[in-house]
């Protein structure tokens, strides 16, 4: 996903009368590389979801996985990755799953069970995944703006956009805000594409 940002202002300033014609003083802000966003600015975040094949899939919050042990079926479980990025397995407890491939998680779980089981050889399969992307698509679905969201920079210099904690953007250039938003979405495993 790639987020593009555009600053918006009100299209017309106060009108003046000249020879019985109303003339507007346009106050449209044309952004340059040195413009810094400030409180009261409005930015538009446009989302472009990358649906191309990824080299690897990394487990994300909200994914559902199936953990199976060929020789110990009593330990088999379907698990949801919690908001803290962990899953709970029997007799071991919590294990970090967020950001790992299914194969990496299987290796980690197998290592944890080696002291208590003989030849555990765990496998991990994805049952439901991409929940974050579905949630984001639902949050940005608007009839008038397409896949974008207008965000007003609050007096504290922050904006609120879907799935992220409020981000401080005041005092930053548009390009820096774009990179920051992409980095924050990357942290929750929404893969960014680069132009």
């Amino acid at each position: 996903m790639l987020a593009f940002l555009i600053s918006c202002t009100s299209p017309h300033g106060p009108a003046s009368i000249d020879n019985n014609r109303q003339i507007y003083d346009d106050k449209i802000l044309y952004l340059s590389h040195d413009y810094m966003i400030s409180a009261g600015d409005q930015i538009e975040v446009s989302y472009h979801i990358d649906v191309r094949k990824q080299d690897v899939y990394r487990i994300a919050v909200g994914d559902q996985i199936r953990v199976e042990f060929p020789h110990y079926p009593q330990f088999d479980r379907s698990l949801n990755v919690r908001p803290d990025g962990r899953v709970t397995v029997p007799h071991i407890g919590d294990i970090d799953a967020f950001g790992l491939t299914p194969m990496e998680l299987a290796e980690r779980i197998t290592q944890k069970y080696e002291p208590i089981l003989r030849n555990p050889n765990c496998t991990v399969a994805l049952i439901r995944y991409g929940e974050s992307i579905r949630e984001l698509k639902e949050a940005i679905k608007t009839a008038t703006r397409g896949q974008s969201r207008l965000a007003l920079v609050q007096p504290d210099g922050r904006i609120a956009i879907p799935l992220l904690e409020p981000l401080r953007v005041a005092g930053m250039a548009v390009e820096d805000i774009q990179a920051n938003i992409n980095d924050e979405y990357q942290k929750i495993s929404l893969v960014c594409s680069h132009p």
Side-chain angles (χ1 to χ4, degrees):
M1 156 186 21
L2 184 59
F4 292 101
L5 306 172
I6 303 166
S7 178
C8 303
T9 62
S10 88
H12 299 292
S16 63
I17 306 287
D18 183 27
N19 294 334
N20 292 329
R21 291 185 321 184
Q22 195 171 13
I23 300 172
Y24 287 95
D25 179 20
D26 280 342
K27 299 285 186 195
I28 295 176
L29 177 63
Y30 297 97
L31 294 179
S32 66
H33 291 288
D34 58 350
Y35 179 78
M36 299 297 175
I37 299 294
S38 62
D41 286 346
Q42 191 173 41
I43 58 177
E44 181 173 1
V45 181
S46 297
Y47 296 86
H48 303 280
I49 309 297
D50 186 359
V51 293
R52 293 175 297 178
K53 182 182 174 219
Q54 300 173 25
D55 293 334
V56 266
Y57 181 80
R58 301 224 170 253
I59 296 170
V61 169
D63 287 354
Q64 186 176 47
I65 60 173
R66 178 78 181 161
V67 178
E68 294 183 346
F69 296 85
H71 305 297
Y72 303 96
Q74 67 272 25
F75 290 105
D76 293 355
R77 297 284 189 279
S78 292
L79 304 167
N80 292 316
V81 181
R82 301 187 313 249
D84 64 359
R86 297 172 152 225
V87 293
T88 304
V89 293
H91 303 293
I92 300 297
D94 292 346
I95 294 180
D96 289 324
F98 177 82
L100 300 176
T101 66
M103 181 79 77
E104 290 169 343
L105 180 58
E107 289 171 7
R108 185 171 286 180
I109 293 172
T110 296
Q111 289 173 354
K112 295 285 188 180
Y113 275 103
E114 283 176 345
I116 60 175
L117 299 175
R118 185 181 308 158
N119 196 17
N121 291 332
C122 162
T123 61
V124 172
L126 294 166
I127 296 174
R128 190 184 73 235
Y129 52 91
E131 193 67 28
S132 296
I133 291 176
R134 279 191 290 280
E135 193 176 326
L136 178 62
K137 283 182 176 181
E138 191 60 35
I140 62 175
K141 184 171 57 175
T142 60
T144 58
R145 301 212 71 82
Q147 289 190 331
S148 68
R149 179 67 63 126
L150 286 177
L152 179 66
V153 181
Q154 300 299 315
D156 67 354
R158 297 175 188 268
I159 59 168
I161 54 177
L163 303 183
L164 299 180
E165 294 292 322
L167 296 172
R168 182 170 305 282
V169 298
M172 297 175 68
V174 172
E175 294 82 12
D176 296 333
I177 297 169
Q178 178 178 333
N180 191 22
I181 289 173
N182 280 332
D183 289 345
E184 291 301 314
Y185 278 122
Q186 182 71 33
K187 289 177 188 174
I188 60 170
S189 289
L190 293 178
V191 178
C192 300
S193 64
H194 300 283

